[in-house]
Amino acid sequence: MGFVRQNGLVYYQFDIFPPAVVHGVFTRLGGVSPVPWASLNLGGNLGDTRENIIENRRRIFEVVNRKVETIFDVWQVHSDIVVCTDQPRPLDTPHSRADAILTQNPNVTLFMRFADCVPIFLYDPENNVVGLVHAGWKGTLAAVTYKAIEVMRTKYGSVPSNILAAIGPSIGPDHYVVGPEVIEGVKQTFQEDSEALLIQRNGRTYFDLWQANTLWLSKAGVAQVEIAGLCTACDTHHWYSHRGEAGRTGRFGALIALNS
């Protein structure tokens, strides 16, 4: 489907998901935050005001016709922790720490924040399960995507070959330069597959997070995968990019839910 423009917001949707799945990756356009977070900043602890973030969040929930009170989000810590929920997170309660969230409840909207890391959307049409994963290099090496599929299988009875997956806008292999720590981690984790994931160019090494997480999905048994192919560092007009903006930036939001 690509970009959708509605009520002043611009968000990205995937073709792979049917109308039964409410989802979107929201660009940075259409919010109230000032520079350097301009304008639809959804991240906390970055210097922007809480009032701006709350208003921006209200706007994205309104545009997909979901109540803010249905939100379930977590404190993202670059881990392999998967959390399952059957209820929203009360807005006045602390966040759990995790980097993958799953639900079967249509009254829950899963929500995460990004600025280069990979958003991965999951949907099991047979058991009505949706999921959202946050995978930076640490989470990717920790196999958070693979572990999310395993939890779908063991807790909800999902058959991996039935699961639909989508990889959202994030830093692409053309921009993600990595150093010795990451290079060694990729080699240890992916073994013979690491050569295809570490791209050598002009004396630098680039890590392909899109293919690395596609590989985890494949290893878990997921064959139906759509990749947006949109690099956040290439397009800071639409996306926040930690690398592309030298750390002075906001966070864009991604959400997924089951239509009730």
Side-chain angles (χ1 to χ4, degrees):
M1 181 179 290
F3 287 104
V4 178
R5 290 168 172 80
Q6 187 177 347
N7 294 359
L9 304 189
V10 181
Y11 58 100
Y12 187 88
Q13 290 192 313
F14 298 93
D15 291 321
I16 199 169
F17 296 128
V21 179
V22 178
H23 74 285
V25 191
F26 286 82
T27 71
R28 66 189 294 168
L29 306 177
V32 298
S33 298
V35 173
W37 313 282
S39 63
L40 194 69
N41 175 37
L42 294 153
N45 299 326
L46 301 167
D48 196 2
T49 68
R50 177 174 170 78
E51 291 75 19
N52 288 342
I53 293 167
I54 289 172
E55 171 59 20
N56 290 337
R57 183 177 62 190
R58 184 196 67 77
R59 292 185 182 196
I60 73 166
F61 273 72
E62 181 180 67
V63 86
V64 294
N65 198 30
R66 302 286 295 185
K67 293 181 179 179
V68 172
E69 290 78 13
T70 66
I71 192 171
F72 184 84
D73 57 345
V74 290
W75 190 264
Q76 297 159 218
V77 290
H78 301 279
S79 69
D80 64 350
I81 301 169
V82 183
V83 168
C84 302
T85 186
D86 58 6
Q87 59 187 357
R89 179 186 68 83
L91 295 175
D92 59 349
T93 62
H95 294 80
S96 300
R97 292 173 176 259
D99 288 276
I101 47 181
L102 305 168
T103 193
Q104 273 187 316
N105 187 350
N107 296 315
V108 172
T109 304
L110 303 178
F111 177 75
M112 282 186 160
R113 303 161 180 86
F114 299 86
D116 279 340
C117 294
V118 185
I120 299 155
F121 295 74
L122 304 170
Y123 172 53
D124 172 4
E126 301 299 321
N127 294 284
N128 287 321
V129 184
V130 289
L132 194 55
V133 179
H134 165 259
W137 73 264
K138 289 183 180 179
T140 299
L141 296 190
V144 64
T145 303
Y146 179 92
K147 291 171 183 175
I149 300 298
E150 282 295 287
V151 174
M152 290 178 73
R153 184 179 63 80
T154 57
K155 181 174 176 62
Y156 299 110
S158 298
V159 176
S161 60
N162 292 333
I163 294 172
L164 308 177
I167 293 176
S170 41
I171 195 163
D174 55 341
H175 271 94
Y176 195 35
V177 179
V178 293
E181 179 187 5
V182 178
I183 293 168
E184 185 58 31
V186 172
K187 289 179 178 178
Q188 289 183 6
T189 301
F190 291 99
Q191 303 289 314
E192 67 273 8
D193 294 313
S194 63
E195 189 173 341
L197 303 176
L198 295 171
I199 302 156
Q200 308 298 322
R201 189 168 64 245
N202 299 326
R204 290 181 165 187
T205 303
Y206 297 76
F207 182 24
D208 190 339
L209 286 169
W210 301 341
Q211 288 305 318
N213 284 284
T214 301
L215 186 59
W216 279 131
L217 290 166
S218 177
K219 287 179 182 291
V222 178
Q224 303 175 81
V225 183
E226 180 179 347
I227 303 175
L230 298 173
C231 175
T232 47
C234 284
D235 183 6
T236 54
H237 172 70
H238 283 102
W239 308 108
Y240 297 111
S241 172
H242 184 79
R243 284 285 185 98
E245 299 173 277
R248 283 187 57 77
T249 191
R251 298 291 183 269
F252 61 86
L255 59 75
I256 189 168
L258 295 163
N259 257 324
S260 52

